[in-house]
Amino acid sequence: MACIGKWTLLMSIALVCGCSAILGQSEKRKVHIVYMGNSPANPEKATSLYQKVLAKVLSGKEEVARSMVYSYAASFSGFAAELSTTEAASISKMPGVVSVFPSSVKKLHTTRSWDFLGLRVWPESESFSDKYLPDPIPSRWKGTCVSGDSFSSSNCNRKLIGARMFPNGYEQNFGPITGPGEYRSPRDAEGHGSHTASTAGGSSVKHASLFGLAEGTARGGTQTARIAAYKVCWFGSCTDADILAAFDEAVADGVDLISSSIGGSPQDYFSDSIAIGAFHAVQNGVFVSSSAGNSGPSVYTATNVAPWLTTVAASSIDRKFTSSIVLGNSLPYKGVALNTISLSNPWYPLVSGEAIRNASSPLANFSKYCYDGTMALDKVKDSIVVCYGGVGAPDATVLAAGGAGVILVDSFDKSVGFAFSLPCSVVGTADAKHILKYINSTSFPVADILPSITTVDDSLVPQTAIFSSRGPNIITPDILKVVLISKIYLQSPFLFPFDCFDNEITFLYVFTARYNSSWG
Ligand SMILES: *[C@@H]1O[C@H](CO)[C@@H](O)[C@H](O)[C@H]1NC(C)=O
Ligand SMILES: *[C@@H]1O[C@H](CO)[C@@H](O)[C@H](O)[C@H]1NC(C)=O
Ligand SMILES: *[C@@H]1O[C@H](CO)[C@@H](O)[C@H](O)[C@H]1NC(C)=O
Ligand SMILES: *[C@@H]1O[C@H](CO)[C@@H](O)[C@H](O)[C@H]1NC(C)=O
């Protein structure tokens, strides 16, 4: 009985504690970055210095040890630790502390193209082969190849000379990283990092093509470059704590250039992990190139705009993928898509998703977008369907309903080549109007979609891609950002897993020219 009494007492204490937490007296701690400026004079002693800072707001050695997520000391001073807002505020007032900010989440500057393409780029890919690099790895290289899920040191070679992962910030926020869909190792589950790495420095891969489209030699901008990968994104989310750890480690390993294709919303530089990490990398003679983002075409959307970074827009390439649409009245329209499938019949009934709405569906008004469950399925079967883009996945719903093809109306129009799961061609709103008019003009409208043809066309370049983020620079308006739009850093994976089909870099492009008469 005494035992039960004790248990009851313990439980009620736990309850009291729970209540006070709910009342906010004991706020849940979150990972914060404590940024303390230039690298410490004594890197070996840095961690104990940071622990002293933490000890001023936390109670006891154990709590300090539990709180610490990263200690940064190679290229700058600071640490990542779990802190309450009150504790973070106290630290921010201490001498030597430049800024304290919550470790927020940035995103990969990519799209769903990999899923559209159904392609994966692995470290085993020929793009990371070292056959053209007979010379040994330079002795000044201090990096290493970290093992983990489906990745071992044998994945590294004279081309891929380093691979590290930075999971602590993510795991502290979101819990342990386990599959499916992610590897707790430097292995890239998403494809974005391998894509950007091979675009910048991949080896030559002869006869690369997308099912025969645009055949050529795929290669990175600098084939003789060695590559080291620093994985900071997990399930597509990249925390500030992990990003800073990667910058710090990369500088310590001895990289010459950092290329990063990650971003959040534009931020004050003192609470922007990429701006801080890059600042100290540049201070150490490392060039940093960062993506501007894919939030265009609205203005003031460019991120990674710190003056010491090169900010890279997404651009057009000089290659066009035309997939013609032929209508029963024989007018051809030149749509755009990576369309490798030939339809077997010469003509298919042509319908618009909007006109074949299933009135009994509660979402019937979305049939214009060929949204799942909104169309009369019997009208979709064996037809080519006109769908508006932007809501759902029209190619998937039309394919599932036994449709023959899709004419996708998209405001991105001709600047982006997508691949689809069935014959599909993308047109702008002007062409769409004519196509819909044709449908209305005859009792049996028919159409055909032809496989894509690749053409090289110099008039397509240089152009900023419509989806690319744009200036003006929202953080430092007086700084004119010069942006390198190049094939090396072309961060559009839309066209190919390898953007560099025998293309040469480079041209400069003025990104945020906002004339202010007070500049004189
Ligand atoms: C569909 O749109 C019409 C016209 O805009 C509107 O009157 C109707 O309520 C909408 N129906 C549904 C199911 O949202
Ligand atoms: C329309 O939607 C209803 C409800 O989802 C479904 O039962 C019916 O089969 C659909 N009709 C057609 C022609 O697809
Ligand atoms: C085609 O006909 C439908 C139904 O009569 C109408 O709502 C639509 O505006 C017409 N489209 C064009 C482009 O003429
Ligand atoms: C032009 O620059 C001045 C001085 O920096 C600033 O006060 C003003 O707001 C700027 N004007 C515009 C239109 O940006």
Side-chain angles (χ1 to χ4, degrees), residues 352 354-355 432-441:
S352 85
E354 189 166 21
K433 227 181 224 167
H434 289 116
I435 293 168
L436 293 171
K437 220 176 202 170
Y438 160 71
I439 295 179
N440 279 5
S441 73

PDB file of all heavy atoms in Angstrom, residues 352 354-355 432-441, ligand 3:
ATOM      1  N   SER A 352     -11.986  19.447 -73.772  1.00  0.00           N
ATOM      2  CA  SER A 352     -11.393  20.282 -72.723  1.00  0.00           C
ATOM      3  C   SER A 352     -11.914  19.802 -71.373  1.00  0.00           C
ATOM      4  O   SER A 352     -13.093  19.455 -71.241  1.00  0.00           O
ATOM      5  CB  SER A 352     -11.717  21.756 -72.936  1.00  0.00           C
ATOM      6  OG  SER A 352     -12.967  22.071 -72.383  1.00  0.00           O
ATOM      7  N   GLU A 354     -12.602  21.390 -68.854  1.00  0.00           N
ATOM      8  CA  GLU A 354     -13.660  22.268 -68.379  1.00  0.00           C
ATOM      9  C   GLU A 354     -15.032  21.824 -68.904  1.00  0.00           C
ATOM     10  O   GLU A 354     -16.026  21.842 -68.185  1.00  0.00           O
ATOM     11  CB  GLU A 354     -13.361  23.698 -68.837  1.00  0.00           C
ATOM     12  CG  GLU A 354     -14.282  24.722 -68.222  1.00  0.00           C
ATOM     13  CD  GLU A 354     -13.757  26.152 -68.408  1.00  0.00           C
ATOM     14  OE1 GLU A 354     -12.931  26.367 -69.330  1.00  0.00           O
ATOM     15  OE2 GLU A 354     -14.176  27.019 -67.632  1.00  0.00           O
ATOM     16  N   ALA A 355     -15.049  21.408 -70.191  1.00  0.00           N
ATOM     17  CA  ALA A 355     -16.336  21.070 -70.822  1.00  0.00           C
ATOM     18  C   ALA A 355     -16.859  19.707 -70.378  1.00  0.00           C
ATOM     19  O   ALA A 355     -18.054  19.431 -70.546  1.00  0.00           O
ATOM     20  CB  ALA A 355     -16.171  21.106 -72.341  1.00  0.00           C
ATOM     21  N   ALA A 432      -3.810  28.389 -76.292  1.00  0.00           N
ATOM     22  CA  ALA A 432      -4.916  27.636 -75.698  1.00  0.00           C
ATOM     23  C   ALA A 432      -6.259  28.183 -76.171  1.00  0.00           C
ATOM     24  O   ALA A 432      -7.190  27.429 -76.459  1.00  0.00           O
ATOM     25  CB  ALA A 432      -4.830  27.691 -74.178  1.00  0.00           C
ATOM     26  N   LYS A 433      -6.339  29.481 -76.257  1.00  0.00           N
ATOM     27  CA  LYS A 433      -7.587  30.115 -76.706  1.00  0.00           C
ATOM     28  C   LYS A 433      -7.981  29.606 -78.098  1.00  0.00           C
ATOM     29  O   LYS A 433      -9.129  29.264 -78.350  1.00  0.00           O
ATOM     30  CB  LYS A 433      -7.377  31.642 -76.766  1.00  0.00           C
ATOM     31  CG  LYS A 433      -8.509  32.417 -76.116  1.00  0.00           C
ATOM     32  CD  LYS A 433      -8.243  33.891 -76.244  1.00  0.00           C
ATOM     33  CE  LYS A 433      -8.545  34.589 -74.916  1.00  0.00           C
ATOM     34  NZ  LYS A 433      -8.030  35.948 -74.893  1.00  0.00           N
ATOM     35  N   HIS A 434      -7.009  29.552 -79.000  1.00  0.00           N
ATOM     36  CA  HIS A 434      -7.280  29.081 -80.363  1.00  0.00           C
ATOM     37  C   HIS A 434      -7.687  27.609 -80.359  1.00  0.00           C
ATOM     38  O   HIS A 434      -8.577  27.206 -81.101  1.00  0.00           O
ATOM     39  CB  HIS A 434      -6.051  29.286 -81.250  1.00  0.00           C
ATOM     40  CG  HIS A 434      -5.802  30.731 -81.562  1.00  0.00           C
ATOM     41  ND1 HIS A 434      -4.672  31.400 -81.137  1.00  0.00           N
ATOM     42  CD2 HIS A 434      -6.557  31.633 -82.221  1.00  0.00           C
ATOM     43  CE1 HIS A 434      -4.751  32.661 -81.536  1.00  0.00           C
ATOM     44  NE2 HIS A 434      -5.884  32.826 -82.207  1.00  0.00           N
ATOM     45  N   ILE A 435      -7.015  26.823 -79.537  1.00  0.00           N
ATOM     46  CA  ILE A 435      -7.319  25.392 -79.499  1.00  0.00           C
ATOM     47  C   ILE A 435      -8.744  25.171 -78.974  1.00  0.00           C
ATOM     48  O   ILE A 435      -9.510  24.367 -79.519  1.00  0.00           O
ATOM     49  CB  ILE A 435      -6.263  24.640 -78.653  1.00  0.00           C
ATOM     50  CG1 ILE A 435      -4.897  24.697 -79.365  1.00  0.00           C
ATOM     51  CG2 ILE A 435      -6.671  23.183 -78.407  1.00  0.00           C
ATOM     52  CD1 ILE A 435      -3.714  24.246 -78.533  1.00  0.00           C
ATOM     53  N   LEU A 436      -9.122  25.923 -77.926  1.00  0.00           N
ATOM     54  CA  LEU A 436     -10.475  25.793 -77.377  1.00  0.00           C
ATOM     55  C   LEU A 436     -11.523  26.274 -78.386  1.00  0.00           C
ATOM     56  O   LEU A 436     -12.617  25.717 -78.494  1.00  0.00           O
ATOM     57  CB  LEU A 436     -10.593  26.577 -76.063  1.00  0.00           C
ATOM     58  CG  LEU A 436      -9.758  26.009 -74.903  1.00  0.00           C
ATOM     59  CD1 LEU A 436      -9.754  26.961 -73.720  1.00  0.00           C
ATOM     60  CD2 LEU A 436     -10.275  24.629 -74.475  1.00  0.00           C
ATOM     61  N   LYS A 437     -11.184  27.280 -79.141  1.00  0.00           N
ATOM     62  CA  LYS A 437     -12.083  27.786 -80.185  1.00  0.00           C
ATOM     63  C   LYS A 437     -12.317  26.696 -81.238  1.00  0.00           C
ATOM     64  O   LYS A 437     -13.439  26.496 -81.704  1.00  0.00           O
ATOM     65  CB  LYS A 437     -11.455  29.019 -80.840  1.00  0.00           C
ATOM     66  CG  LYS A 437     -12.463  30.107 -81.143  1.00  0.00           C
ATOM     67  CD  LYS A 437     -11.721  31.306 -81.688  1.00  0.00           C
ATOM     68  CE  LYS A 437     -12.534  32.571 -81.520  1.00  0.00           C
ATOM     69  NZ  LYS A 437     -11.721  33.750 -81.834  1.00  0.00           N
ATOM     70  N   TYR A 438     -11.237  26.023 -81.602  1.00  0.00           N
ATOM     71  CA  TYR A 438     -11.357  24.934 -82.578  1.00  0.00           C
ATOM     72  C   TYR A 438     -12.290  23.854 -82.048  1.00  0.00           C
ATOM     73  O   TYR A 438     -13.139  23.328 -82.781  1.00  0.00           O
ATOM     74  CB  TYR A 438      -9.980  24.351 -82.917  1.00  0.00           C
ATOM     75  CG  TYR A 438     -10.057  22.965 -83.512  1.00  0.00           C
ATOM     76  CD1 TYR A 438     -10.544  22.768 -84.817  1.00  0.00           C
ATOM     77  CD2 TYR A 438      -9.683  21.843 -82.772  1.00  0.00           C
ATOM     78  CE1 TYR A 438     -10.661  21.498 -85.343  1.00  0.00           C
ATOM     79  CE2 TYR A 438      -9.790  20.563 -83.292  1.00  0.00           C
ATOM     80  CZ  TYR A 438     -10.292  20.393 -84.583  1.00  0.00           C
ATOM     81  OH  TYR A 438     -10.423  19.127 -85.100  1.00  0.00           O
ATOM     82  N   ILE A 439     -12.144  23.504 -80.758  1.00  0.00           N
ATOM     83  CA  ILE A 439     -13.002  22.470 -80.167  1.00  0.00           C
ATOM     84  C   ILE A 439     -14.469  22.862 -80.341  1.00  0.00           C
ATOM     85  O   ILE A 439     -15.319  22.042 -80.699  1.00  0.00           O
ATOM     86  CB  ILE A 439     -12.675  22.253 -78.668  1.00  0.00           C
ATOM     87  CG1 ILE A 439     -11.263  21.683 -78.511  1.00  0.00           C
ATOM     88  CG2 ILE A 439     -13.695  21.335 -77.998  1.00  0.00           C
ATOM     89  CD1 ILE A 439     -10.808  21.453 -77.080  1.00  0.00           C
ATOM     90  N   ASN A 440     -14.774  24.138 -80.124  1.00  0.00           N
ATOM     91  CA  ASN A 440     -16.161  24.615 -80.230  1.00  0.00           C
ATOM     92  C   ASN A 440     -16.660  24.679 -81.674  1.00  0.00           C
ATOM     93  O   ASN A 440     -17.851  24.699 -81.908  1.00  0.00           O
ATOM     94  CB  ASN A 440     -16.278  26.013 -79.605  1.00  0.00           C
ATOM     95  CG  ASN A 440     -16.390  25.939 -78.094  1.00  0.00           C
ATOM     96  OD1 ASN A 440     -16.290  24.855 -77.516  1.00  0.00           O
ATOM     97  ND2 ASN A 440     -16.597  27.081 -77.467  1.00  0.00           N
ATOM     98  N   SER A 441     -15.717  24.739 -82.614  1.00  0.00           N
ATOM     99  CA  SER A 441     -16.111  25.031 -83.987  1.00  0.00           C
ATOM    100  C   SER A 441     -16.553  23.793 -84.763  1.00  0.00           C
ATOM    101  O   SER A 441     -16.994  23.904 -85.896  1.00  0.00           O
ATOM    102  CB  SER A 441     -14.934  25.687 -84.722  1.00  0.00           C
ATOM    103  OG  SER A 441     -13.948  24.691 -84.967  1.00  0.00           O
TER     104      SER A 441
HETATM  105  C1  LIG B   3     -16.663  27.010 -76.026  1.00  0.00           C
HETATM  106  O1  LIG B   3     -17.994  26.672 -75.674  1.00  0.00           O
HETATM  107  C2  LIG B   3     -18.247  26.695 -74.260  1.00  0.00           C
HETATM  108  C3  LIG B   3     -19.652  26.145 -74.026  1.00  0.00           C
HETATM  109  O2  LIG B   3     -20.561  26.623 -74.967  1.00  0.00           O
HETATM  110  C4  LIG B   3     -18.069  28.119 -73.767  1.00  0.00           C
HETATM  111  O3  LIG B   3     -18.315  28.200 -72.369  1.00  0.00           O
HETATM  112  C5  LIG B   3     -16.639  28.569 -74.053  1.00  0.00           C
HETATM  113  O4  LIG B   3     -16.475  29.918 -73.686  1.00  0.00           O
HETATM  114  C6  LIG B   3     -16.305  28.408 -75.526  1.00  0.00           C
HETATM  115  N1  LIG B   3     -14.884  28.651 -75.677  1.00  0.00           N
HETATM  116  C7  LIG B   3     -14.372  29.370 -76.690  1.00  0.00           C
HETATM  117  C8  LIG B   3     -12.901  29.610 -76.670  1.00  0.00           C
HETATM  118  O5  LIG B   3     -15.047  29.819 -77.604  1.00  0.00           O
END
